[in-house]
Amino acid sequence: MKKNNTRIRIAVQKSGRLTEHTMELLTRCGLIYSKGHDQLICYGENMPVDVILVRDDDIPSLVQENLCDLGIVGLNEVEETRLKLVELDTKEIFSQISTLDFGYCRLSFAIPEDQNYTGLSFLSGKRIATSYPQIVGHYLKNQGIKAEVIKFSGAVEIAPGLGKADMICDLVSSGSTLQANELRETDTILESRATLIQTPVLIPTGKQEWLQRLLQRIQGVLQVKESKYIMLHAPRSALPEISKLLPGSESPTIIPLEGRNDKVAVHAVCKEKIFWETLELLKEAGASSMLVLPVEKMLA
Ligand code: PRT
Ligand code: ZN
């Protein structure tokens, strides 16, 4: 795979929990792509952006080694690789550009249900199975706890049952996997979600413009998801109170209403959720004819 100096390469999970959300994000950024015969690359047809499909564990290294300019991967993988690079005294490490709004989970310790958890001191001298030895090792060191960290590549939750470990530290979302294995979650050591990372190497000028455009569009997509456009009529006298009630909005647009001096139309983009309760409060403040619309695209 020869690297091109004008096309941006973005590493994405090939098949797994992050894949669908990541491809949807890129599509919402305007990317139209076709899949190569080998199913390993999606070629951007309308933007100089190619998507490289790989295992999620490989994404941070591909970005670190500048084989890809960007990567989208869970913070758990980002942090595990970052700590390894720090340990190796690596000077230039990939940067974390933005957290995204999917792939939520947490890295937590879990112990057999029948054990009595006594706080962090419980960990002392224990054998802890995990796929994240760097994160767990770092945490234990910071807490001044001596315990044995055993690296497991998958099915960590079965380690205590097999007698290979006393407890585990693994990703949890609903908690049902722990429950099925008779384990109880104790402390969380990392809150994770999908994260956008960028190579530590200077991006060539030929790619700069499109890189900036892509990053700006990603921010736009993230903002738009929560944003709503609200339109309402209001008495002029109630404007200060109504403006205060509009969640996360910058100065609203005030439009005169034909033949009415006492009333105006108010239009605003709200960057936070608008709940029924907010509309009810606006009504109490004198607003009427309220309309809340989704926002399709946004560019700051
Ligand atoms: O093949 P490849 O290596 O690419 O995929 P993978 O199997 O390593 O990763 P995948 O697709 O399972 O997860 C990709 C990323 O999604 C992870 O790195 C996390 O950032 C994020 N993520 C979000 C999760 C979960 N939620 C999650 N629940 N990753 C894994 N799990 C597993 C967890 O390890 C445990 O086995 O799901 C189980 C727990 O789930 P609950 O709902 O039972 O608590
Ligand atoms: Zn993986």
Side-chain angles (χ1 to χ4, degrees), residues 182-196:
E182 297 177 356
L183 295 167
R184 179 156 53 95
E185 185 176 0
T186 58
D187 296 283
T188 294
I189 62 171
L190 179 80
E191 294 283 355
S192 181
R193 60 208 268 194
T195 304
L196 177 69

Side-chain angles (χ1 to χ4, degrees), residues 36 97 106 111 113 134 158 204 213 227 242 269 286:
I97 304 285
R106 53 194 187 274
I111 63 169
E113 261 168 5
Q134 290 288 341
I158 62 169
R213 284 171 87 167
S227 297
I242 284 182
V269 173

Side-chain angles (χ1 to χ4, degrees), residues 13-19 54-59 73-77 102-106 131-132 153 155-157 170-179 192-194:
Q13 190 185 24
K14 184 170 192 277
S15 155
R17 286 183 160 88
L18 305 177
T19 311
V54 289
R55 286 198 56 188
D56 70 338
D57 321 49
D58 296 330
I59 295 175
V73 63
L75 189 60
N76 45 305
E77 295 296 343
F102 56 89
Y104 289 94
C105 57
R106 53 194 187 274
S131 305
Y132 302 95
S153 316
V156 177
E157 62 280 353
D170 197 16
L171 298 175
V172 185
S173 52
S174 67
S176 56
T177 304
L178 293 183
Q179 215 176 6
S192 181
R193 60 208 268 194

